[in-house]
Amino acid sequence: MGPVQRALYAVLTGDSALSDLNAGVYDYLPEDVGYPFVVIGEATEIPDNSHDRYGRQTVVTLHGWDQYRGYARVQSIGARIVALLDHRPLTLEGLDHVATRFEFSQTLTDPTPPGDIRHLVQRFRVVTEQPPAP
């Protein structure tokens, strides 16, 4: 899962348009981060082997957080993330990229007082293979 997370982080932090929309992309949230921000969250991985190679399907959840009234701003951030990742190539350390697919998004309102935090959950499936033996 590490190479996938590092590749996603590189794409998301390397895009100036996404940087203009949020305060940062994190895999560990430091204290006192301003809104809005994106967190690379949970991941699951399953085997996806072929006859001659080992492969994996890694499903990564991204979280967008904001205190803006309504979902418009966090949805704009999510749209940019989809544009950057869905059916786009990734450069992965030690692996061949097969595909990245957007699976779903969901908006939520954090009920914890003061109840003004908007949350966008997005999930992406990244399919990888080991490179062929030399």
Side-chain angles (χ1 to χ4, degrees):
M1 286 189 260
V4 171
Q5 181 179 4
R6 287 189 292 278
L8 293 175
Y9 183 81
V11 168
L12 298 177
T13 58
D15 183 67
S16 61
L18 182 61
S19 295
D20 290 345
L21 293 172
N22 76 86
V25 176
Y26 304 95
D27 67 347
Y28 171 80
L29 196 59
E31 292 184 32
D32 301 324
V33 172
Y35 288 94
F37 59 87
V38 174
V39 175
I40 300 173
E42 306 77 15
T44 60
E45 190 171 73
I46 60 171
D48 189 22
N49 301 325
S50 64
H51 295 291
D52 62 343
R53 286 198 240 179
Y54 292 104
R56 298 282 184 267
Q57 290 191 29
T58 306
V59 178
V60 179
T61 304
L62 302 178
H63 300 272
W65 299 93
D66 200 1
Q67 284 185 313
Y68 187 77
R69 298 186 115 192
Y71 291 103
R73 193 162 73 174
V74 77
Q75 287 175 337
S76 293
I77 293 167
R80 183 64 189 155
I81 291 171
V82 170
L84 289 169
L85 299 178
D86 189 32
H87 289 84
R88 303 291 302 222
L90 288 175
T91 302
L92 297 156
E93 170 188 323
L95 297 170
D96 288 341
H97 178 258
V98 176
T100 299
R101 297 183 192 103
F102 171 67
E103 289 195 340
F104 84 93
S105 64
Q106 178 181 7
T107 55
L108 303 165
T109 301
D110 188 341
T112 306
D116 63 347
I117 297 177
R118 303 295 185 245
H119 183 189
L120 178 68
V121 180
Q122 294 182 295
R123 191 165 66 195
F124 293 85
R125 182 175 302 268
V126 180
V127 182
T128 60
E129 295 182 325
Q130 286 182 336

